[in-house]
Amino acid sequence: MKKGLLIVLSGPSGVGKGTVCRSLQARMPGLCFSVSATTRPPRPGEIEGRDYYFLSDDHFQRLLAEGAFLEWALVHGRHYGTLKDKVSKVLASGNDLLLEIDIQGAEQVRRQMPEAVTIFMAPPSMAALEQRIIGRGTEDAVKIRQRLEAARREMEAYRNYEYLVVNDEVEATAALLASIIQSEKCRVSRGARPPVQEVSE
Ligand code: 5GP
């Protein structure tokens, strides 16, 4: 069976990756979204196993020592990681998988799986990003400042990605992501082949 496509999506906190991914999921129901493990506490409305696997520091370190992560990173003082066996299972079953991970994790995936499609999502401006982080209302003033400083550093990393999308409007950005994914799946170098022709007698 043809392996699924691995898609890596990164972008600064508050750029709207979550909202865009929800719209993308509606457009591409066959696309799977990886659920990461994290040591940060759940935000209101977040559900264990759907948004993240919320782990204790000990549990995360144990998995790390066992080599269970395809990639992991310390982001805003908390650990985040993608579980290796979940990724291999989805791809081996021929399904496409999107990882929404930070720039450090993307670098690790790029090294191990150079066939992955990498996409960077940028805000239309830093002012727009600040407004979105404040508007989300889930972070206090110190965290907001930390996230904005991190965002400025993260923006530099766009050069290491194959695609850059600016998230001006959710639906338009989701449509753009869908078209990137569909185009990548049409690449002959990625194994796209014509349907087998019926041989007439
Ligand atoms: P949040 O706490 O806002 O959900 O996520 C914070 C940051 O962690 C985001 O930039 C997100 O992309 C990143 N992140 C989420 N899951 C993972 C993961 O499994 N690995 C890495 N490296 N980063 C992740």
Side-chain angles (χ1 to χ4, degrees):
M1 184 190 281
K2 192 165 162 291
K3 258 184 82 175
L5 184 68
L6 183 65
I7 303 124
V8 173
L9 176 67
S10 305
S13 172
V15 75
K17 287 167 293 186
T19 321
V20 169
C21 282
R22 276 190 289 282
S23 167
L24 183 61
Q25 193 156 31
R27 284 164 193 272
M28 305 186 84
L31 179 64
C32 299
F33 290 77
S34 165
V35 178
S36 298
T38 183
T39 58
R40 85 147 162 75
R43 296 191 183 122
E46 284 186 331
I47 293 174
E48 163 72 22
R50 184 194 70 181
D51 299 293
Y52 280 105
Y53 299 110
F54 296 101
L55 307 182
S56 64
D57 286 320
D58 279 356
H59 193 171
F60 194 98
Q61 290 304 326
R62 214 164 46 240
L63 290 174
L64 190 57
E66 286 167 10
F69 291 114
L70 168 66
E71 63 74 35
W72 68 277
L74 191 62
V75 186
H76 313 307
R78 303 287 188 171
H79 286 97
Y80 293 81
T82 305
L83 292 160
K84 212 184 268 179
D85 66 336
K86 303 233 183 250
V87 172
S88 343
K89 273 196 197 112
V90 172
L91 297 180
S93 65
N95 289 300
D96 304 326
L97 179 67
L98 186 140
L99 308 183
E100 196 238 285
I101 59 177
D102 88 314
I103 58 173
Q104 308 166 70
E107 186 58 43
Q108 297 165 45
V109 174
R110 206 177 275 121
R111 264 188 260 121
Q112 297 173 73
M113 304 175 86
E115 70 280 14
V117 180
T118 57
I119 309 173
F120 190 89
M121 192 186 290
S125 67
M126 290 312 280
L129 187 72
E130 186 169 356
Q131 280 315 308
R132 282 186 202 163
I133 296 178
I134 294 170
R136 195 158 69 178
T138 52
E139 268 81 31
D140 59 32
V142 175
K143 287 240 164 59
I144 290 173
R145 211 178 49 241
Q146 281 173 355
R147 286 191 176 220
L148 281 170
E149 278 162 16
R152 282 199 184 84
R153 286 194 303 273
E154 281 164 14
M155 289 295 294
E156 293 300 311
Y158 83 88
R159 291 184 179 82
N160 303 328
Y161 289 72
E162 291 166 288
Y163 292 94
L164 170 69
V165 294
V166 176
N167 183 24
D168 245 323
E169 197 276 319
V170 173
E171 292 306 321
T173 309
L176 199 53
L177 289 185
S179 64
I180 292 171
I181 296 169
Q182 278 151 356
S183 307
E184 286 292 337
K185 287 174 68 66
C186 293
R187 275 189 196 269
V188 173
S189 59
R190 285 197 185 275
R193 296 290 177 267
V196 177
Q197 300 294 311
E198 294 288 331
V199 180
S200 53
E201 307 244 329

